[in-house]
Amino acid sequence: MSAEAVGMHMPAVVTLDDVAAMNAADPNGHRYETSPEGVLSVMPPPDSEHAMIASRLFAWLIVAGWPAEQVLQAVGVRISGPDGDGGRIPDVSVWRKPPSRSVWAAVADVVLVVEIVSPGSEAMDSVTKVREYASAGIPQYWVVDRDGAQTVTLHRLSGDGSYETRARMPLAWLLQTAPADHLD
């Protein structure tokens, strides 16, 4: 479908319900997200390297004792802002308790969100989502770059409501530590 055809059928304002419907209807596995300001983003389906990184982090957390219902892959979180609500779908998220059953879970019990950088998402993951997740009060945000070392940048929310970078390390190094070394 051409951009012109999509534009003709796109509502003037895209709601979180619209985004959820787009995610459910996409036969190719694209992820649709929206910022609190209403900016729609379309993410490509994850490739095998992306899936392997997410699986390794998921397994590391589970083996360390996090309950499976509190370590989730690709669950939507509601990001509130001054202009309304947005919805993001982090690659991995860790929760204090299982989130309520909904398409867009509230961030109140989120401990950590992880984004794995995909080609073309560098600015989104390292600038936009840093601002949005910090603004939402998510205590920790990790970004996994897809460089040779699969470098993980660990951000922690500081007292002023912004993230500070606590560490940068190869994923292999991170996985040799205990999650408790990094999570409160």
Side-chain angles (χ1 to χ4, degrees):
M1 182 181 285
S2 71
E4 182 178 293
V6 169
M8 290 175 39
H9 299 286
M10 187 68 71
V13 175
V14 178
T15 66
L16 284 179
D17 288 339
D18 295 329
V19 175
M22 294 164 73
N23 280 317
D26 190 305
N28 300 310
H30 291 89
R31 287 188 192 165
Y32 299 85
E33 300 178 338
T34 185
S35 72
E37 297 81 23
V39 177
L40 182 67
S41 303
V42 182
M43 308 300 183
D47 62 15
S48 59
E49 180 186 22
H50 186 283
M52 284 186 269
I53 293 168
S55 293
R56 290 176 74 192
L57 287 166
F58 181 84
W60 175 68
L61 290 158
I62 298 298
V63 167
W66 280 91
E69 59 275 0
Q70 291 173 236
V71 180
L72 305 174
Q73 293 187 48
V75 67
V77 293
R78 182 181 299 268
I79 305 293
S80 296
D83 299 325
D85 287 345
R88 296 294 183 194
I89 306 171
D91 296 309
V92 177
S93 56
V94 179
W95 302 73
R96 283 184 195 88
K97 63 181 184 178
S100 62
R101 190 173 178 155
S102 65
V103 175
W104 302 106
V107 299
D109 292 312
V110 175
V111 174
L112 164 71
V113 293
V114 179
E115 294 286 0
I116 301 162
V117 177
S118 294
S121 74
E122 296 89 352
M124 178 71 71
D125 294 335
S126 62
V127 178
T128 304
K129 289 183 180 178
V130 168
R131 179 183 48 80
E132 288 179 8
Y133 290 150
S135 206
I138 296 172
Q140 294 197 50
Y141 173 45
W142 297 356
V143 179
V144 183
D145 288 310
R146 307 249 310 255
D147 55 10
Q150 297 176 335
T151 303
V152 185
T153 303
L154 288 67
H155 300 282
R156 175 171 279 166
L157 202 58
S158 67
D160 69 1
S162 65
Y163 284 125
E164 61 185 14
T165 301
R166 292 200 56 233
R168 286 180 49 85
M169 66 186 76
L171 178 62
W173 291 10
L174 176 70
L175 298 177
Q176 295 301 313
T177 66
D181 294 343
H182 311 286
L183 299 172
D184 298 329

